[in-house]
Amino acid sequence: MSVTTPKGFRAAGIAARIKANGNPDLALVVNDGPDQAAAGVFTRNKVKAAPVLWSQQVLTTGRLRAVVLNSGGANACTGPQGFQTAHATAEKAAEVLGCGAIEVAVCSTGLIGAQLPRDAVLAGVGTAAGELAATPEAGLAAATAIMTTDTVAKQAAHTDAAGWSVGGLTKGAGMIAPSMATMLSVLTTDAVLDPAALEPALRAAVRVSFDRLDVDGSMSTNDTVLLLASGASGVSADPEAFTAALTAVCKDLAQQMQADAEGVTKRIAVRVSGAASEDDAVTVARTVARDSLVKTAMFGSDANWGRIAAAVGYSDAAVDPGTLDVTINGVLLCTGGVAAGGRTDADLSGKEIVIEIALGLGDGAAEILTTDLSHAYVEENSAYPS
Amino acid sequence: MSVTTPKGFRAAGIAARIKANGNPDLALVVNDGPDQAAAGVFTRNKVKAAPVLWSQQVLTTGRLRAVVLNSGGANACTGPQGFQTAHATAEKAAEVLGCGAIEVAVCSTGLIGAQLPRDAVLAGVGTAAGELAATPEAGLAAATAIMTTDTVAKQAAHTDAAGWSVGGLTKGAGMIAPSMATMLSVLTTDAVLDPAALEPALRAAVRVSFDRLDVDGSMSTNDTVLLLASGASGVSADPEAFTAALTAVCKDLAQQMQADAEGVTKRIAVRVSGAASEDDAVTVARTVARDSLVKTAMFGSDANWGRIAAAVGYSDAAVDPGTLDVTINGVLLCTGGVAAGGRTDADLSGKEIVIEIALGLGDGAAEILTTDLSHAYVEENSAYPS
């Protein structure tokens, strides 16, 4: 159930004193091969953290030997000094692993704008290298070391009957939005794959998993998803079967992020059907998922479909109020853009809410996962800088 | 200081029992001429309330004798029955005022999805007509009758040295967003104006006032701003001077809405300069103003400029992190995309926060007014359906 599930991978997670409280804050994931193919997807934020700039650069080779990840600081808005820290981190890992810095990606998460304590990071890389192991415990330690406001470590894996597997770890609890959450994720596989097939598979998996999670509409400076392939199973994977397995692991991880989102009291799925296109369905679902009035109504267990209809109406998608149906937790509340009665029949007292929006215009469908807007979200994001 | 400040206008506000609690809920504003020129700006939401559909239709004539406004129900998502209620309301006003229904606009605000009690509304129009007066008290009564979650009535006026004046009332406290707030506003003037000049003046004024207020990014189904010109002063107004006065009144009203927004503890001005265009400046300012993580940081009096930089970075505008400066309450916190120090020097303990973002790319500038995201916002929008 971790990045060490596939053969050929070792991991470690340690406390490097990047975080003042002494909690684990540095992880290392190493691909021992025989293959070292890799692909990455990064934030579309124009303000990119130093480790994102570094990792995008090294990923152009399509190869990775290792990934260093740290919590306790995003190394974003840190200028040349911050970029040098990311570079030095990769150099240090290369030194202890006996490879080139160009084979090492770096990921960071935490407060934007502060320099990382470079010495602590570099010393931590050395310590982590000494603790690398291919065990589930080592995978869990890595997943634990990248937690910020996460309350639980997040891992997933899939083992295919054909003899290969996919594993993954992720973090992310706030600033979670399209083009990925404030999230870092490392995915591993021991399937033998054409290196050219890795990036399409990763993009396809991310598009319908991490990209469909939207907690607060905020897009991070640090989002990174990396896929490392070792080929250690010796088994060639069918590209379609591999993409499906990778997608399943990514969806599992995305659901874990939804369940652990900051201040969450309700897990909400916004399902749109009947849109003119899939893009329109995503647009409508995302607009509803982001609407503060919808999110506060859900927190209050109030089946306020009028706020949903209003959000549908201001989305940048084709919408006809005359063919708009809204169903919450199985109860049809609005049909043809008009109240269908039954508002008090919809029971929203539980933790799961499903909002179904039928637009009646075409075949486009999509689902966005989100959460409610609670007192705890406000508390967590106002009382603590992050 | 109200819609009755300009000559030629009478107003009334009464309790028509649309609201169950017996508070005032119906207003009437009448233009006694000699001119009856009018212009309107409406929500761009594709789900439009019945009174919006009605009023857009009657405004095509460019003339209005009266406006009926109600709180206690938005008459949105109410289908043909809702439209008939809006029509019947105009017919009733026409009957008691001795004009045609085509000369009467209707505005509604309140819960989406419920039918208005038509008989109560029609009886209320009759009652209000009997109380019409040109006094400040009558203007205040009208402004009071359209309040929903507003805590104070909102009015403004400007009297020009040339001998004409502009007055206005508004409401709106939540679901406040671009293309106007969940707001209704009636503006009056006794200036003698070319009817063709009214709409451009209104659009110009709204563009830099109501359209630059963004409390929660939610766009209402009911937003309506109407401008009525009586010509009763007998004084021709210079179009530029009139537009400037109208803009000043609209900005005054927008600031009153900002100050009374749901759950507000901080009034925040987001000022962007150095953008590649004015549109880009608006886009960046709006993205920052809507960001939940920025808004919660402001609630916590935390000068978290990193969240601002992240929001700037994911806006749909041209942005170069290398030339990005962020200043909060006069303290430069980020320059060239990197920490400038002084984070603890910025004092955000007061009620006013000014966020200045210099993009260093061009001459585009714009300001968006917003508020923080507080516990009270969550409380108000989760505990009470509206």
Side-chain angles (χ1 to χ4, degrees), chain B residues 72-154:
Chain B
N75 196 4
C77 296
T78 47
Q81 188 185 338
F83 189 81
Q84 284 159 17
T85 297
H87 185 179
T89 303
E91 290 279 5
K92 175 71 182 180
E95 178 195 323
V96 295
L97 295 171
C99 64
I102 191 90
E103 297 172 276
V104 181
V106 180
C107 304
S108 300
T109 179
L111 188 66
I112 297 169
Q115 297 291 337
L116 286 176
R118 193 184 295 174
D119 291 347
V121 172
L122 301 189
V125 170
T127 307
E131 300 196 6
L132 284 167
T135 60
E137 292 73 21
L140 175 61
T144 303
I146 60 171
M147 288 164 57
T148 54
T149 55
D150 306 67
T151 65
V152 292
K154 299 172 180 73

Side-chain angles (χ1 to χ4, degrees), chain A residues 44-48 76-80 111-113 115 174-175 216-219 221 262 291-293 296-297 299-300 302 304-307 309-319 321 324 337-339 343 373-382 384-386, chain B residues 44-48 76-80 111-113 115 174-175 216-219 221 262 291-293 296-297 299-300 302 304-307 309-319 321 324 337-339 343 373-382 384-386:
Chain A
R44 289 201 298 255
N45 198 310
K46 289 175 282 282
V47 177
K48 288 177 177 38
C77 296
T78 48
L111 188 66
I112 297 168
Q115 297 290 338
M175 204 185 259
D216 51 20
S218 299
M219 190 195 296
T221 50
E262 287 172 351
D291 188 90
S292 292
L293 291 165
T296 46
F299 171 58
D302 172 17
N304 197 324
W305 64 267
R307 292 182 182 177
V312 170
Y314 75 74
S315 71
D316 286 328
V319 169
L324 170 66
V338 180
R343 180 168 163 153
L373 175 52
S374 67
H375 284 301
Y377 179 90
V378 173
E379 188 63 21
E380 188 149 353
N381 285 298
S382 60
Y384 313 102
S386 63
Chain B
R44 288 200 298 254
N45 198 309
K46 290 176 280 283
V47 177
K48 289 177 174 41
C77 296
T78 47
L111 188 66
I112 297 169
Q115 297 291 337
M175 205 186 259
D216 52 19
S218 298
M219 190 197 294
T221 50
E262 288 173 351
D291 188 89
S292 293
L293 291 165
T296 45
F299 171 57
D302 172 17
N304 198 324
W305 63 268
R307 293 182 181 177
V312 169
Y314 74 75
S315 71
D316 287 328
V319 169
L324 171 65
V338 180
R343 180 167 163 153
L373 176 52
S374 67
H375 283 302
Y377 178 90
V378 172
E379 188 64 21
E380 188 150 352
N381 285 298
S382 60
Y384 313 102
S386 62

Side-chain angles (χ1 to χ4, degrees), chain B residues 27-42:
Chain B
L28 184 58
V29 178
V30 174
N31 179 356
D32 290 319
D35 297 342
Q36 267 142 7
V41 177
F42 300 91

